[in-house]
Amino acid sequence: MIKHTLFLKWWLFFTIMAVAAIYATSMGLVHVVWENDATKLSFLLLGVLTFMSVWCGHKTWKMSKIIDDKEPKRGLVEHIEHLTEVGWFTSDLCLTIGMVGTVIGFITMLSGFTDLDVSKIDTVQALIKELGIGMSTSLYTTLAGLICSLLLKIQYFNLNQAIDRVQKNEAKLSY
């Protein structure tokens, strides 16, 4: 029997994320996002994703040990369950930060219209540049928020499923 299967599931998912990040970096995607996201919120989101993924891995390791010992420590399981709420909150926070970046991008886009003088080609060119920067900021922060939220939710869903199984087994044993 393989030990720590719960943790190994998390580790496989985390490794796939790391390989995807390395691939994206090698393909120049990270550089493109850095150049086109004026707020740099996409990188804040990636930092939050990394930190919370490692934190989830730590909790998953603890839960995996509890499952493998087959002597669940009721207080510890409930404590881990309580801490997973931080992960769920953070996944929603990633969506919110992505939406904030979207709004900032739209504000950047629309701010170009304040100094527009259509009789001068320079102001029209500046407007087009502002439109591009604002739109790319909006799209990249939205995409980063959605992806980071999704990846965190998958990890915390896996952990919560294990917690639910342990609690159901404890309930059966107590009867």
Side-chain angles (χ1 to χ4, degrees):
M1 182 173 167
I2 298 175
K3 293 187 97 179
H4 304 297
T5 54
L6 177 65
F7 179 76
L8 291 175
K9 283 182 193 177
W10 173 85
W11 182 251
L12 176 64
F13 188 75
F14 186 77
T15 304
I16 291 169
M17 286 188 339
V19 168
I22 291 168
Y23 180 73
T25 302
S26 71
M27 295 301 292
L29 182 62
V30 174
H31 180 70
V32 169
V33 173
W34 181 263
E35 292 294 319
N36 293 309
D37 181 3
T39 62
K40 306 302 185 227
L41 286 175
S42 300
F43 292 93
L44 172 69
L45 289 165
L46 291 175
V48 168
L49 171 66
T50 303
F51 179 79
M52 291 306 293
S53 293
V54 170
W55 193 75
C56 183
H58 177 69
K59 301 305 170 203
T60 303
W61 173 257
K62 284 185 173 185
M63 196 65 208
S64 185
K65 285 177 64 176
I66 290 170
I67 291 169
D68 289 347
D69 290 345
K70 298 193 188 223
E71 292 179 23
K73 299 166 180 91
R74 186 166 186 80
L76 186 56
V77 172
E78 290 171 352
H79 180 68
I80 292 172
E81 180 183 31
H82 178 70
L83 290 176
T84 60
E85 293 300 318
V86 174
W88 289 108
F89 172 78
T90 305
S91 70
D92 288 341
L93 186 64
C94 286
L95 286 174
T96 304
I97 292 171
M99 290 298 108
V100 167
T102 302
V103 171
I104 291 171
F106 283 135
I107 290 170
T108 302
M109 270 179 31
L110 297 175
S111 69
F113 285 101
T114 59
D115 299 328
L116 182 62
D117 182 5
V118 289
S119 63
K120 295 181 183 175
I121 192 87
D122 295 340
T123 59
V124 175
Q125 288 175 336
L127 172 65
I128 292 171
K129 183 177 179 181
E130 286 292 319
L131 290 173
I133 291 170
M135 184 55 79
S136 63
T137 296
S138 294
L139 294 175
Y140 282 123
T141 55
T142 303
L143 184 64
L146 289 170
I147 290 172
C148 290
S149 177
L150 175 69
L151 294 175
L152 285 175
K153 285 180 180 184
I154 290 170
Q155 293 175 69
Y156 284 97
F157 179 77
N158 185 41
L159 181 56
N160 272 23
Q161 290 293 100
I163 290 169
D164 289 346
R165 282 192 306 270
V166 167
Q167 288 175 336
K168 284 179 185 175
N169 287 340
E170 284 179 354
K172 287 178 186 177
L173 294 175
S174 65
Y175 288 118

